[in-house]
Amino acid sequence: MRHYIGVVHQEGDSAFGIHFPDVPGCFSAADALDDLLPNASEALALHLEDEPLPEARSLDAVRADAEVARDLEAGAFLLAVPFFRLSGRTAKANITMDAGLLAAIDQTAKERGLTRSAFLADLARREITG
């Protein structure tokens, strides 16, 4: 899986903002740090939809960038954000798990108005993106 390194800024009580030196024009924000990673991953997916993927530099290469170094000196920090492109098509997969766990999944999905597949896909997406 590809990761892009984001530069995270936050001043005082403001939201956390993130931009990607390797993906010009792509940025995101979140009021809580826990929400920043999924928001940033979604921003990458939307920004790069139907676009050629820019090269993702290594952490060391991004850190060595003069602009990024200035941001880091000013208190920013770096965050590796996973990127995956949704294909827009579905694929069938057979999985095996404990019957009790499957029953709990089905019950929870039903309570939330989701199918089993939608529930599991949402869980996987949240786990992958933090």
Side-chain angles (χ1 to χ4, degrees), residues 11-36:
E11 293 182 24
D13 292 335
S14 70
F16 292 90
I18 186 169
H19 74 276
F20 301 91
D22 294 338
V23 187
C26 184
F27 58 91
S28 186
D31 290 329
L33 187 57
D34 287 345
D35 296 329
L36 185 60

PDB file of all heavy atoms in Angstrom, residues 11-36:
ATOM      1  N   GLU A  11      -2.041  25.297  15.585  1.00  0.00           N
ATOM      2  CA  GLU A  11      -1.654  26.444  16.407  1.00  0.00           C
ATOM      3  C   GLU A  11      -2.745  26.728  17.426  1.00  0.00           C
ATOM      4  O   GLU A  11      -3.913  26.881  17.060  1.00  0.00           O
ATOM      5  CB  GLU A  11      -1.432  27.672  15.535  1.00  0.00           C
ATOM      6  CG  GLU A  11      -0.237  27.540  14.609  1.00  0.00           C
ATOM      7  CD  GLU A  11      -0.006  28.795  13.790  1.00  0.00           C
ATOM      8  OE1 GLU A  11      -0.442  29.877  14.220  1.00  0.00           O
ATOM      9  OE2 GLU A  11       0.604  28.675  12.721  1.00  0.00           O
ATOM     10  N   GLY A  12      -2.364  26.789  18.688  1.00  0.00           N
ATOM     11  CA  GLY A  12      -3.317  27.107  19.748  1.00  0.00           C
ATOM     12  C   GLY A  12      -4.481  26.140  19.782  1.00  0.00           C
ATOM     13  O   GLY A  12      -4.292  24.928  19.813  1.00  0.00           O
ATOM     14  N   ASP A  13      -5.689  26.679  19.727  1.00  0.00           N
ATOM     15  CA  ASP A  13      -6.895  25.861  19.765  1.00  0.00           C
ATOM     16  C   ASP A  13      -7.468  25.588  18.386  1.00  0.00           C
ATOM     17  O   ASP A  13      -8.596  25.109  18.265  1.00  0.00           O
ATOM     18  CB  ASP A  13      -7.970  26.548  20.619  1.00  0.00           C
ATOM     19  CG  ASP A  13      -7.593  26.597  22.092  1.00  0.00           C
ATOM     20  OD1 ASP A  13      -6.794  25.733  22.519  1.00  0.00           O
ATOM     21  OD2 ASP A  13      -8.083  27.495  22.802  1.00  0.00           O
ATOM     22  N   SER A  14      -6.715  25.888  17.345  1.00  0.00           N
ATOM     23  CA  SER A  14      -7.223  25.694  15.990  1.00  0.00           C
ATOM     24  C   SER A  14      -7.258  24.209  15.629  1.00  0.00           C
ATOM     25  O   SER A  14      -6.718  23.360  16.332  1.00  0.00           O
ATOM     26  CB  SER A  14      -6.344  26.442  14.982  1.00  0.00           C
ATOM     27  OG  SER A  14      -5.081  25.809  14.865  1.00  0.00           O
ATOM     28  N   ALA A  15      -7.896  23.924  14.520  1.00  0.00           N
ATOM     29  CA  ALA A  15      -7.946  22.554  14.011  1.00  0.00           C
ATOM     30  C   ALA A  15      -6.552  22.118  13.564  1.00  0.00           C
ATOM     31  O   ALA A  15      -5.660  22.940  13.345  1.00  0.00           O
ATOM     32  CB  ALA A  15      -8.917  22.477  12.833  1.00  0.00           C
ATOM     33  N   PHE A  16      -6.384  20.816  13.434  1.00  0.00           N
ATOM     34  CA  PHE A  16      -5.153  20.260  12.870  1.00  0.00           C
ATOM     35  C   PHE A  16      -5.300  20.311  11.353  1.00  0.00           C
ATOM     36  O   PHE A  16      -6.286  19.834  10.797  1.00  0.00           O
ATOM     37  CB  PHE A  16      -4.955  18.808  13.310  1.00  0.00           C
ATOM     38  CG  PHE A  16      -4.661  18.657  14.769  1.00  0.00           C
ATOM     39  CD1 PHE A  16      -5.698  18.501  15.681  1.00  0.00           C
ATOM     40  CD2 PHE A  16      -3.364  18.692  15.239  1.00  0.00           C
ATOM     41  CE1 PHE A  16      -5.438  18.362  17.032  1.00  0.00           C
ATOM     42  CE2 PHE A  16      -3.087  18.568  16.596  1.00  0.00           C
ATOM     43  CZ  PHE A  16      -4.132  18.403  17.492  1.00  0.00           C
ATOM     44  N   GLY A  17      -4.324  20.914  10.689  1.00  0.00           N
ATOM     45  CA  GLY A  17      -4.317  20.969   9.232  1.00  0.00           C
ATOM     46  C   GLY A  17      -3.196  20.097   8.703  1.00  0.00           C
ATOM     47  O   GLY A  17      -2.165  19.925   9.351  1.00  0.00           O
ATOM     48  N   ILE A  18      -3.405  19.519   7.528  1.00  0.00           N
ATOM     49  CA  ILE A  18      -2.375  18.677   6.917  1.00  0.00           C
ATOM     50  C   ILE A  18      -2.307  18.974   5.425  1.00  0.00           C
ATOM     51  O   ILE A  18      -3.335  19.196   4.784  1.00  0.00           O
ATOM     52  CB  ILE A  18      -2.648  17.176   7.183  1.00  0.00           C
ATOM     53  CG1 ILE A  18      -1.493  16.296   6.685  1.00  0.00           C
ATOM     54  CG2 ILE A  18      -3.970  16.735   6.590  1.00  0.00           C
ATOM     55  CD1 ILE A  18      -1.578  14.836   7.151  1.00  0.00           C
ATOM     56  N   HIS A  19      -1.086  19.029   4.913  1.00  0.00           N
ATOM     57  CA  HIS A  19      -0.883  19.131   3.470  1.00  0.00           C
ATOM     58  C   HIS A  19       0.188  18.114   3.079  1.00  0.00           C
ATOM     59  O   HIS A  19       0.922  17.604   3.925  1.00  0.00           O
ATOM     60  CB  HIS A  19      -0.501  20.556   3.054  1.00  0.00           C
ATOM     61  CG  HIS A  19       0.897  20.938   3.406  1.00  0.00           C
ATOM     62  ND1 HIS A  19       1.265  21.408   4.648  1.00  0.00           N
ATOM     63  CD2 HIS A  19       2.040  20.914   2.672  1.00  0.00           C
ATOM     64  CE1 HIS A  19       2.551  21.668   4.669  1.00  0.00           C
ATOM     65  NE2 HIS A  19       3.054  21.364   3.476  1.00  0.00           N
ATOM     66  N   PHE A  20       0.254  17.830   1.794  1.00  0.00           N
ATOM     67  CA  PHE A  20       1.137  16.780   1.282  1.00  0.00           C
ATOM     68  C   PHE A  20       2.120  17.367   0.284  1.00  0.00           C
ATOM     69  O   PHE A  20       1.722  17.766  -0.816  1.00  0.00           O
ATOM     70  CB  PHE A  20       0.299  15.676   0.612  1.00  0.00           C
ATOM     71  CG  PHE A  20      -0.688  15.050   1.547  1.00  0.00           C
ATOM     72  CD1 PHE A  20      -1.972  15.557   1.661  1.00  0.00           C
ATOM     73  CD2 PHE A  20      -0.324  13.972   2.319  1.00  0.00           C
ATOM     74  CE1 PHE A  20      -2.876  14.994   2.541  1.00  0.00           C
ATOM     75  CE2 PHE A  20      -1.221  13.393   3.204  1.00  0.00           C
ATOM     76  CZ  PHE A  20      -2.505  13.915   3.317  1.00  0.00           C
ATOM     77  N   PRO A  21       3.395  17.432   0.640  1.00  0.00           N
ATOM     78  CA  PRO A  21       4.387  17.999  -0.272  1.00  0.00           C
ATOM     79  C   PRO A  21       4.447  17.279  -1.625  1.00  0.00           C
ATOM     80  O   PRO A  21       4.745  17.917  -2.635  1.00  0.00           O
ATOM     81  CB  PRO A  21       5.712  17.826   0.482  1.00  0.00           C
ATOM     82  CG  PRO A  21       5.322  17.741   1.917  1.00  0.00           C
ATOM     83  CD  PRO A  21       3.980  17.077   1.934  1.00  0.00           C
ATOM     84  N   ASP A  22       4.118  15.985  -1.653  1.00  0.00           N
ATOM     85  CA  ASP A  22       4.177  15.230  -2.900  1.00  0.00           C
ATOM     86  C   ASP A  22       2.870  15.265  -3.688  1.00  0.00           C
ATOM     87  O   ASP A  22       2.798  14.729  -4.791  1.00  0.00           O
ATOM     88  CB  ASP A  22       4.559  13.771  -2.621  1.00  0.00           C
ATOM     89  CG  ASP A  22       5.973  13.645  -2.087  1.00  0.00           C
ATOM     90  OD1 ASP A  22       6.785  14.562  -2.311  1.00  0.00           O
ATOM     91  OD2 ASP A  22       6.269  12.624  -1.438  1.00  0.00           O
ATOM     92  N   VAL A  23       1.834  15.884  -3.111  1.00  0.00           N
ATOM     93  CA  VAL A  23       0.532  15.983  -3.780  1.00  0.00           C
ATOM     94  C   VAL A  23       0.075  17.446  -3.670  1.00  0.00           C
ATOM     95  O   VAL A  23      -0.761  17.785  -2.828  1.00  0.00           O
ATOM     96  CB  VAL A  23      -0.509  15.023  -3.147  1.00  0.00           C
ATOM     97  CG1 VAL A  23      -1.793  15.013  -3.974  1.00  0.00           C
ATOM     98  CG2 VAL A  23       0.048  13.616  -2.995  1.00  0.00           C
ATOM     99  N   PRO A  24       0.645  18.324  -4.492  1.00  0.00           N
ATOM    100  CA  PRO A  24       0.321  19.746  -4.406  1.00  0.00           C
ATOM    101  C   PRO A  24      -1.181  19.991  -4.513  1.00  0.00           C
ATOM    102  O   PRO A  24      -1.873  19.377  -5.327  1.00  0.00           O
ATOM    103  CB  PRO A  24       1.060  20.357  -5.603  1.00  0.00           C
ATOM    104  CG  PRO A  24       2.158  19.384  -5.912  1.00  0.00           C
ATOM    105  CD  PRO A  24       1.605  18.024  -5.559  1.00  0.00           C
ATOM    106  N   GLY A  25      -1.670  20.875  -3.650  1.00  0.00           N
ATOM    107  CA  GLY A  25      -3.083  21.239  -3.666  1.00  0.00           C
ATOM    108  C   GLY A  25      -3.969  20.352  -2.812  1.00  0.00           C
ATOM    109  O   GLY A  25      -5.138  20.655  -2.620  1.00  0.00           O
ATOM    110  N   CYS A  26      -3.425  19.281  -2.288  1.00  0.00           N
ATOM    111  CA  CYS A  26      -4.212  18.379  -1.445  1.00  0.00           C
ATOM    112  C   CYS A  26      -3.979  18.733   0.018  1.00  0.00           C
ATOM    113  O   CYS A  26      -2.848  18.794   0.482  1.00  0.00           O
ATOM    114  CB  CYS A  26      -3.830  16.925  -1.697  1.00  0.00           C
ATOM    115  SG  CYS A  26      -4.846  15.754  -0.757  1.00  0.00           S
ATOM    116  N   PHE A  27      -5.074  18.968   0.716  1.00  0.00           N
ATOM    117  CA  PHE A  27      -4.975  19.287   2.138  1.00  0.00           C
ATOM    118  C   PHE A  27      -6.242  18.816   2.831  1.00  0.00           C
ATOM    119  O   PHE A  27      -7.255  18.518   2.196  1.00  0.00           O
ATOM    120  CB  PHE A  27      -4.768  20.789   2.351  1.00  0.00           C
ATOM    121  CG  PHE A  27      -5.869  21.626   1.758  1.00  0.00           C
ATOM    122  CD1 PHE A  27      -6.975  21.968   2.517  1.00  0.00           C
ATOM    123  CD2 PHE A  27      -5.800  22.045   0.443  1.00  0.00           C
ATOM    124  CE1 PHE A  27      -8.002  22.721   1.963  1.00  0.00           C
ATOM    125  CE2 PHE A  27      -6.821  22.799  -0.116  1.00  0.00           C
ATOM    126  CZ  PHE A  27      -7.924  23.138   0.647  1.00  0.00           C
ATOM    127  N   SER A  28      -6.192  18.757   4.129  1.00  0.00           N
ATOM    128  CA  SER A  28      -7.343  18.365   4.928  1.00  0.00           C
ATOM    129  C   SER A  28      -7.177  18.957   6.318  1.00  0.00           C
ATOM    130  O   SER A  28      -6.149  19.561   6.632  1.00  0.00           O
ATOM    131  CB  SER A  28      -7.454  16.836   4.997  1.00  0.00           C
ATOM    132  OG  SER A  28      -8.651  16.458   5.652  1.00  0.00           O
ATOM    133  N   ALA A  29      -8.185  18.750   7.150  1.00  0.00           N
ATOM    134  CA  ALA A  29      -8.140  19.249   8.524  1.00  0.00           C
ATOM    135  C   ALA A  29      -9.072  18.420   9.391  1.00  0.00           C
ATOM    136  O   ALA A  29      -9.935  17.697   8.883  1.00  0.00           O
ATOM    137  CB  ALA A  29      -8.548  20.718   8.572  1.00  0.00           C
ATOM    138  N   ALA A  30      -8.887  18.537  10.682  1.00  0.00           N
ATOM    139  CA  ALA A  30      -9.765  17.880  11.655  1.00  0.00           C
ATOM    140  C   ALA A  30      -9.646  18.616  12.972  1.00  0.00           C
ATOM    141  O   ALA A  30      -8.571  19.090  13.333  1.00  0.00           O
ATOM    142  CB  ALA A  30      -9.385  16.408  11.830  1.00  0.00           C
ATOM    143  N   ASP A  31     -10.753  18.696  13.677  1.00  0.00           N
ATOM    144  CA  ASP A  31     -10.737  19.336  14.997  1.00  0.00           C
ATOM    145  C   ASP A  31      -9.988  18.487  16.014  1.00  0.00           C
ATOM    146  O   ASP A  31      -9.330  19.011  16.896  1.00  0.00           O
ATOM    147  CB  ASP A  31     -12.157  19.591  15.493  1.00  0.00           C
ATOM    148  CG  ASP A  31     -12.845  20.693  14.700  1.00  0.00           C
ATOM    149  OD1 ASP A  31     -12.144  21.617  14.228  1.00  0.00           O
ATOM    150  OD2 ASP A  31     -14.076  20.629  14.550  1.00  0.00           O
ATOM    151  N   ALA A  32     -10.098  17.160  15.892  1.00  0.00           N
ATOM    152  CA  ALA A  32      -9.434  16.236  16.820  1.00  0.00           C
ATOM    153  C   ALA A  32      -8.341  15.473  16.078  1.00  0.00           C
ATOM    154  O   ALA A  32      -8.528  15.066  14.926  1.00  0.00           O
ATOM    155  CB  ALA A  32     -10.444  15.254  17.410  1.00  0.00           C
ATOM    156  N   LEU A  33      -7.237  15.263  16.740  1.00  0.00           N
ATOM    157  CA  LEU A  33      -6.123  14.544  16.128  1.00  0.00           C
ATOM    158  C   LEU A  33      -6.543  13.143  15.681  1.00  0.00           C
ATOM    159  O   LEU A  33      -6.104  12.667  14.635  1.00  0.00           O
ATOM    160  CB  LEU A  33      -4.942  14.478  17.098  1.00  0.00           C
ATOM    161  CG  LEU A  33      -3.645  13.898  16.562  1.00  0.00           C
ATOM    162  CD1 LEU A  33      -3.165  14.657  15.329  1.00  0.00           C
ATOM    163  CD2 LEU A  33      -2.568  13.909  17.638  1.00  0.00           C
ATOM    164  N   ASP A  34      -7.418  12.495  16.443  1.00  0.00           N
ATOM    165  CA  ASP A  34      -7.874  11.146  16.086  1.00  0.00           C
ATOM    166  C   ASP A  34      -8.617  11.111  14.751  1.00  0.00           C
ATOM    167  O   ASP A  34      -8.689  10.075  14.108  1.00  0.00           O
ATOM    168  CB  ASP A  34      -8.779  10.572  17.173  1.00  0.00           C
ATOM    169  CG  ASP A  34      -8.020  10.178  18.423  1.00  0.00           C
ATOM    170  OD1 ASP A  34      -6.778  10.079  18.372  1.00  0.00           O
ATOM    171  OD2 ASP A  34      -8.678   9.960  19.465  1.00  0.00           O
ATOM    172  N   ASP A  35      -9.185  12.236  14.343  1.00  0.00           N
ATOM    173  CA  ASP A  35      -9.939  12.290  13.090  1.00  0.00           C
ATOM    174  C   ASP A  35      -9.079  12.700  11.899  1.00  0.00           C
ATOM    175  O   ASP A  35      -9.524  12.634  10.756  1.00  0.00           O
ATOM    176  CB  ASP A  35     -11.100  13.278  13.221  1.00  0.00           C
ATOM    177  CG  ASP A  35     -12.114  12.850  14.265  1.00  0.00           C
ATOM    178  OD1 ASP A  35     -12.282  11.631  14.463  1.00  0.00           O
ATOM    179  OD2 ASP A  35     -12.732  13.738  14.880  1.00  0.00           O
ATOM    180  N   LEU A  36      -7.850  13.119  12.164  1.00  0.00           N
ATOM    181  CA  LEU A  36      -7.020  13.650  11.092  1.00  0.00           C
ATOM    182  C   LEU A  36      -6.627  12.582  10.069  1.00  0.00           C
ATOM    183  O   LEU A  36      -6.716  12.829   8.866  1.00  0.00           O
ATOM    184  CB  LEU A  36      -5.763  14.319  11.664  1.00  0.00           C
ATOM    185  CG  LEU A  36      -4.885  15.027  10.631  1.00  0.00           C
ATOM    186  CD1 LEU A  36      -5.657  16.140   9.922  1.00  0.00           C
ATOM    187  CD2 LEU A  36      -3.651  15.599  11.304  1.00  0.00           C
TER     188      LEU A  36
END
